[in-house]
Amino acid sequence: MTGTAHSETSDDGAARKPVQLDAVGEYEDLLAERDLVLLEFVTSGCGICASMEPVLGAVARSAPGAVATVNAGLVPDLAAEFEIRSVPTLVVLRDGDEVARLDDGFESAETIVDLLETHAPQ
């Protein structure tokens, strides 16, 4: 899904989906709207990244916060800001500050949801 964080949910509260961030401005808009954000950095042609798509979909439906995907090759400024060295890399932000990072490859939805719940504002 391409677009801003506004497309994360429908007005009737339908299931949330990960948003795709295609520009630094979209990332900044997301941070302004949400206090807990999971960024997944990927690249085109990354097999593990592709296998994470359904996992991130499940996370977006059940976890607190916003879930967004960033193609590091298409948004290199954002990848550089987070010093992305491998993909997939998952970065958890709370109030705009990085609070956790997973960069060991494939992660389960349960692991990611637990991580987000740990860092969710009370």
Side-chain angles (χ1 to χ4, degrees):
M1 171 192 279
T2 301
T4 66
H6 296 290
S7 61
E8 181 183 335
T9 59
S10 66
D11 291 339
D12 64 0
R16 299 182 311 165
K17 297 178 184 178
V19 295
Q20 182 175 328
L21 301 180
D22 296 321
V24 173
E26 292 175 356
Y27 160 73
E28 292 166 349
D29 290 345
L30 182 61
L31 286 185
E33 294 175 9
R34 303 300 296 266
D35 52 2
L36 185 66
V37 175
L38 172 69
L39 296 178
E40 179 199 31
F41 287 89
V42 301
T43 57
S44 300
C46 168
I48 296 173
C49 300
S51 69
M52 289 287 296
E53 281 185 42
V55 171
L56 267 286
V59 169
R61 288 187 297 276
S62 64
V67 177
T69 300
V70 180
N71 186 318
L74 299 177
V75 192
D77 292 344
L78 199 53
E81 179 178 334
F82 285 95
E83 299 179 358
I84 301 304
R85 304 281 183 248
S86 63
V87 291
T89 293
L90 304 172
V91 177
V92 178
L93 303 168
R94 182 171 172 185
D95 298 323
D97 296 320
E98 182 176 334
V99 295
R101 179 181 289 232
L102 297 171
D103 57 6
D104 295 329
F106 187 87
E107 298 288 348
S108 70
E110 180 178 315
T111 297
I112 299 166
V113 169
D114 287 348
L115 183 66
L116 288 169
E117 288 176 347
T118 298
H119 294 287
Q122 299 303 317

